[in-house]
Amino acid sequence: MAKQGGRRPPLVAERRYPAGSGNAKAGQRPAAKQTAAKQAAATHAGRSSERSSGGGKAPPPRGRRGKPKRPAPRRPRGPIGWLLGLLAFLWSVLWGVGWRVGLAFGLFLGGAVLIYAAGLPDIDELVDGRARGSVTLLDQSGDPYARRGDQFGGVVTADTVSRHLRNALVATEDRRFYRHFGVSPRGVASAVRINLSEGRGPLEGHGGSTITQQVAKLLCLGRPYEPEEWENEAAYEADCRRTTLWRKAVEAVYAMAMEVRYSKDEILTIYLNRSYLGAGAYGFEAAAQLYFGHSAAEVTPAEAAMLAGLLKAPSSLAPTNSLTRAQDRANIVVGLMEEQGYLSDSAADEARANPATLSQEAATTGGGYFADWIMDSGPEFFTRDTTEDVVIRTTLDPRIQRAAEEAIDYIFAERVSAESNAQAAIVVMSADGAVRAMVGGRDVDASFSFNRATQALRQTGSTFKPFVYAAALDLGATPMDPIEDTPITLNIPGSGPWSPRNYDEEFHGTITLLDALRESRNVPAVRLSERVGRENVRLVAEGFGIDRDLADGPALALGASEATLLEMTGAYAGILNGGSSVTPYGIVDLRFQGAAEPVMTTRSGIGERVIREPAARQLIYMMHEVVENGTGARARVDGWELAGKTGTTSAARDAWFLGFSADYVVGVWMGYDDNTPLTGVTGSGLPAEIWHEAMVRVLAPLTPRPLPMDAPLPARDQSADAVAGALDDILGAPSDNTTVTTTTPMPTVSTTTPEPQPAERDSIADALSRILGGG
């Protein structure tokens, strides 16, 4: 202890150790060490200079805060020590760099998220992302039967849809949706593991994307569609779906930004409205209305499961494409909902036992060809390229459409081999041009396919002959006027002589115009065309709508020109309505969705008069005789007055039957797409039978009405001298290049194969039984 009241003496080494401590040699330290001890004592001035006089060891050294320092661990010597030292050094470097890089990355990521979040628009601007509008097609009664374009049923929110639908989405697409921050590392890791185990790349197949990430992809990471930058909308959407490491990184940042900007329910709302669900439906409201006929707020657990299941593959799983596949996928979703507690066991069993089915409208698959025709023939800015939602009321009659489809199905099932590639088309039309039904191929349910009723240009054959007779009747001839069925040779400038032949290789001498058309004889038709004048025949045909590069030569009378089935049916409608032209139409009115007034309307397709009404009525009588006593006998329907005309082109590449009752005009074509000849099939055969089957069904609920026709007056003088004079007086003298011969005509190939005569029908029927295996 220091003396009290005196100056503290300097601390010396000897006094740091109490006597008897065992440090007997302390006083023998070298002088340098004693000096160092004195300096240490001076440095610690103010501290107690004396220690307890009790025995023991010196206290351990203390740290800056007075706490005892831990002795440094002894490092092993040798190579192991060097290795441990190196590892310790590397760890210190990595840690020092790592936390700084992590901090910088976190700041960068946070800044990027905040920047993206600041640029996100209000949710109202994101719910409808379509680049084009929709077209809803209504039948003549105002009921929807087809939809085209991008359908959008209206905005729904996470609160307004059925809870079953909301739960199905979360259970199927993102079970941790309400717990993550936009990205699910567990989900990504699981997806990568599954992809690698299945032999794919880490980013191929399962993506592990959350609902928020899927919404980011639906929004194309905020990049809108600019038509001038892309070849088409499909190319833009394909680029938006492209998956790369960089794209996934940006997608994750965008998803986290959405989590900052929007609530979970707002993100789910965008998802509900922008997802594509097949059959042109965008959003769950449009899909629910399209498939089930009611709102997304009313869907059952089974329906909700089906809708949620479509997200995996909307086109192939769409119930309108395959109801079975859609139901199988829905069962998987029901299992997920049950597993995650969204459905009780009993509710899940109920959903499996009673799977969702299509509404009656959605299950009706007919009318696809008709809908395609409306989209192709309507104003482009209101149909194919519309950016608005448009509603079009059409002339389609569902009952008649079914009748036409059933007629083709029946004949192909009963009379044509399944291996045959032959095709057929049918059009049903009112006399004013309103198209009531259309089938463009033997696959009656097809849509977006080649439409043989409107797109196939085919030679018309003998179905063109009524226009020749119409020209003659309009100029004053009568059905009972005589015409020669004798050999004729025509000198065609630049081609030489041409001699038409009849189907039976026979000539019947002098016959009436009525007989000539009834038996579809070629030579009288050519003679009459030459007497009337090809230009007059051409004017009549063009007036009725057949105006595609009509042939210049005498083969014009035999149907060497081409036309579509729709055009030919419209031309026959002109004959039925009394001789006025007809423009086939299918649009009654067109309006924007929700608008009270239509943008455009059509009330009738009747145009200018082509031939006089008396001439039309006489022609209808002549065509009625074709069905009753001529080549069209197979088209007869008991109790009905019908008129029509058969047609078969060169080498039987096309077979036609066109005709009408007092109510409807029906046209049928049959042939091969590649122009392969039909073996043993003529217009009086299978086409007439298809026509018959269609007419039986179309007329079934109707009351028979007489045709608007006039029977001819008694026959005129049939003498040889009168034959030439009668028509010369009415129609003019023959052309200078016509040479009438009485000898066997030169053996030339007929431009058009004439129709078989009634006496030959049995042989044709026998031939059909042999050739229909391939025909």
Side-chain angles (χ1 to χ4, degrees), residues 352-369:
R352 294 189 189 95
N354 298 285
T357 57
L358 291 170
S359 67
Q360 182 177 354
E361 175 195 340
T364 302
T365 57
Y369 290 106

Side-chain angles (χ1 to χ4, degrees), residues 259-300:
E259 293 280 346
V260 173
R261 177 69 172 82
Y262 308 120
S263 68
K264 289 288 188 180
D265 281 350
E266 287 176 329
I267 293 171
L268 192 58
T269 292
I270 300 173
Y271 194 56
L272 286 166
N273 286 282
R274 293 193 67 130
S275 296
Y276 180 65
L277 297 165
Y282 282 83
F284 283 84
E285 179 66 14
Q289 293 178 7
L290 174 63
Y291 298 135
F292 309 130
H294 52 247
S295 171
E298 303 169 351
V299 295
T300 65

Side-chain angles (χ1 to χ4, degrees), residues 88-368:
F89 172 74
L90 293 177
W91 169 252
S92 64
V93 171
L94 290 176
W95 171 252
V97 173
W99 75 264
R100 289 175 174 83
V101 171
L103 177 61
F105 177 76
L107 292 174
F108 173 78
L109 179 61
V113 169
L114 291 176
I115 291 172
Y116 269 123
L120 290 174
D122 292 337
I123 187 174
D124 293 340
E125 300 178 29
L126 300 177
V127 290
D128 186 358
R130 298 173 301 158
R132 59 176 183 157
S134 65
V135 179
T136 301
L137 299 170
L138 312 179
D139 61 27
Q140 66 174 5
S141 301
D143 297 322
Y145 75 90
R147 302 174 192 270
R148 296 290 186 269
D150 296 343
Q151 297 291 321
F152 186 69
V155 176
V156 294
T157 69
D159 295 328
T160 59
V161 298
S162 165
R163 62 184 176 87
H164 302 301
L165 178 57
R166 186 171 58 250
N167 294 338
L169 288 177
V170 173
T172 307
E173 297 298 317
D174 188 1
R175 66 176 62 192
R176 288 180 286 273
F177 174 65
Y178 287 102
R179 300 194 298 273
H180 60 63
F181 53 90
V183 179
S184 175
R186 287 176 58 188
V188 173
S190 176
V192 170
R193 177 181 57 79
I194 293 173
N195 292 336
L196 292 176
S197 67
E198 294 178 354
R200 297 190 294 264
L203 299 180
E204 298 176 358
H206 299 278
S209 297
T210 64
I211 285 179
T212 311
Q213 287 177 280
Q214 293 182 51
V215 172
K217 186 174 291 186
L218 288 173
L219 298 176
C220 204
L221 305 180
R223 183 179 50 171
Y225 172 64
E226 299 292 346
E228 60 274 7
E229 297 182 9
W230 299 94
E231 180 180 353
N232 50 47
E233 188 180 356
Y236 164 77
E237 292 179 349
D239 185 76
C240 292
R241 291 191 297 267
R242 189 165 51 91
T243 300
T244 63
L245 283 173
W246 173 250
R247 181 67 67 88
K248 292 294 289 184
V250 176
E251 179 185 294
V253 174
Y254 197 89
M256 287 187 283
M258 293 183 65
E259 293 280 346
V260 173
R261 177 69 172 82
Y262 308 120
S263 68
K264 289 288 188 180
D265 281 350
E266 287 176 329
I267 293 171
L268 192 58
T269 292
I270 300 173
Y271 194 56
L272 286 166
N273 286 282
R274 293 193 67 130
S275 296
Y276 180 65
L277 297 165
Y282 282 83
F284 283 84
E285 179 66 14
Q289 293 178 7
L290 174 63
Y291 298 135
F292 309 130
H294 52 247
S295 171
E298 303 169 351
V299 295
T300 65
E303 292 170 342
M306 181 174 288
L307 291 176
L310 298 179
L311 292 165
K312 181 178 181 180
S315 297
S316 62
L317 291 176
T320 50
N321 187 24
S322 174
L323 183 60
T324 301
R325 282 199 299 266
Q327 290 175 339
D328 290 343
R329 174 63 180 167
N331 283 337
I332 296 175
V333 176
V334 168
L336 292 173
M337 296 173 70
E338 180 183 19
E339 176 187 319
Q340 297 174 41
Y342 292 115
L343 286 178
S344 64
D345 293 345
S346 60
D349 291 340
E350 174 68 18
R352 294 189 189 95
N354 298 285
T357 57
L358 291 170
S359 67
Q360 182 177 354
E361 175 195 340
T364 302
T365 57

Side-chain angles (χ1 to χ4, degrees), residues 32 37 51 106 133 183 238 294 307 316 329 347 419 465 494 602 649 675 759:
R51 305 292 178 182
V183 179
H294 52 247
L307 291 176
S316 62
R329 174 63 180 167
E419 289 76 25
K465 289 176 182 176
T602 306
T649 62
N675 279 323

